[in-house]
Amino acid sequence: GAVASFLSESRHTQTTTREYPEEKDISCEPPRIGVFVCRCGANIARVVKVNDLVDYAAGLPNVVCSEEQVFACSDTGQQAIMERIGEENLNRVLVAACTPRTHEPVFRKACATAGLNPYLLEMANIREHCSWVHSRQKEDATQKAKDIMCMSVARAAALRTLHEKVVPINKQALVIGGGVAGLSSAWMLARHHEVTLFERNDYIGGHSHT
C-alpha cells in the first residue's frame, strides 16, 4: 500500500493536461453514427464474419458510415476514426471490438481530439461476448454480434453530450483504531490530508504494543 501511494503521487505529478480542440455543438443535429468494426487481428475475425457485420450495420437507422479495421485501438485505427468524424460529420461513434474496460478511454480521447464530446462514444463487445465464447458456433456468433450491434446503434442514437465537473474535496480524514493498520493508514493519508486518529486505549500500536 505504501509503495502504491508513492507511485500514484509520482504519476500524478508527471501528468499534464491535454488540450483538445473546441467541442462542436451537436444539440440541433440528428444522429449521424459512424460504426467501426474491429477484426482484432484474428481474435474476432476468425469467428465473426466481420464483412457481414459491417454490411448489416450500414443498413441500421442513423448509420452514415460503417467500416472494418484490423486493430481499431492502434494509432492507425484511431486516426481513421478521427478522420471519419470530420469527413462524414459524425456526431456519434460506435466501436464494435473488445471490452470497454480495456480501450474505452482510448476511443474517448480520439473523439475529443476530433472535436466530438467523448461521451458520444458507444462500444459493442463482440470479442468476449461473441467470438471468444462461441468460437465453435461461427454462425451463431455472427448473429449474436448483429443483435449486439443493433442494440448498440440504438443506444448510440440516444447518447447526449456530457461534461465532467470538478468539485472541491474536504481533505480531512478520520482513522478509527491506532493499531498497526490504523497507524499505517493514517501515515499514508497524512501525505495529502489532515488526519484525526481515534484510539480507545491510552496507548497506540495495538497488538504490537509492549
Side-chain angles (χ1 to χ4, degrees):
V3 172
S5 69
F6 286 114
L7 291 174
S8 177
E9 180 182 2
S10 177
R11 288 196 299 267
H12 178 73
T13 56
Q14 294 177 10
T15 300
T16 56
T17 302
R18 182 173 179 178
E19 294 294 331
Y20 293 105
E22 183 178 355
E23 187 178 291
K24 60 181 180 180
D25 180 13
I26 66 154
S27 59
C28 297
E29 297 179 1
R32 292 181 59 84
I33 304 172
V35 176
F36 303 90
V37 184
C38 181
R39 299 178 66 88
C40 199
N43 276 294
I44 294 174
R46 67 182 174 84
V47 178
V48 175
K49 296 180 180 178
V50 173
N51 291 338
D52 288 357
L53 195 57
V54 170
D55 293 341
Y56 173 76
L60 293 175
N62 302 307
V63 174
V64 298
C65 171
S66 181
E67 61 184 51
E68 69 174 77
Q69 296 183 339
V70 179
F71 288 103
C73 61
S74 67
D75 290 344
T76 302
Q78 294 176 62
Q79 185 61 39
I81 292 174
M82 291 187 287
E83 289 176 357
R84 296 298 181 274
I85 290 174
E87 294 169 356
E88 302 290 342
N89 193 29
L90 303 179
N91 54 29
R92 309 286 194 286
V93 171
L94 170 60
V95 178
C98 58
T99 169
R101 294 185 61 186
T102 305
H103 290 115
E104 187 175 58
V106 172
F107 297 120
R108 282 185 173 175
K109 288 181 180 178
C111 289
T113 302
L116 191 64
N117 183 275
Y119 292 97
L120 295 172
L121 166 76
E122 173 67 8
M123 290 195 68
N125 187 350
I126 61 172
R127 187 181 71 178
E128 281 81 350
H129 292 173
C130 297
S131 64
W132 279 7
V133 296
H134 305 296
S135 59
R136 297 183 180 180
Q137 298 88 31
K138 295 185 178 181
E139 294 297 331
D140 291 341
T142 299
Q143 183 57 52
K144 184 178 179 180
K146 290 180 179 180
D147 292 342
I148 292 175
M149 177 72 73
C150 183
M151 292 184 286
S152 298
V153 166
R155 187 177 187 278
L159 293 176
R160 296 293 181 266
T161 297
L162 298 175
H163 294 97
E164 297 178 359
K165 293 183 179 180
V166 178
V167 296
I169 298 176
N170 183 352
K171 289 198 169 186
Q172 293 181 319
L174 171 65
V175 177
I176 300 176
V180 174
L183 290 172
S184 298
S185 299
W187 177 73
M188 286 189 288
L189 285 167
R191 296 170 58 83
H192 303 289
H193 297 74
E194 177 185 337
V195 180
T196 300
L197 176 68
F198 279 101
E199 170 56 54
R200 65 180 178 179
N201 298 312
D202 58 0
Y203 59 86
I204 60 174
H207 294 296
S208 67
H209 177 75
T210 57

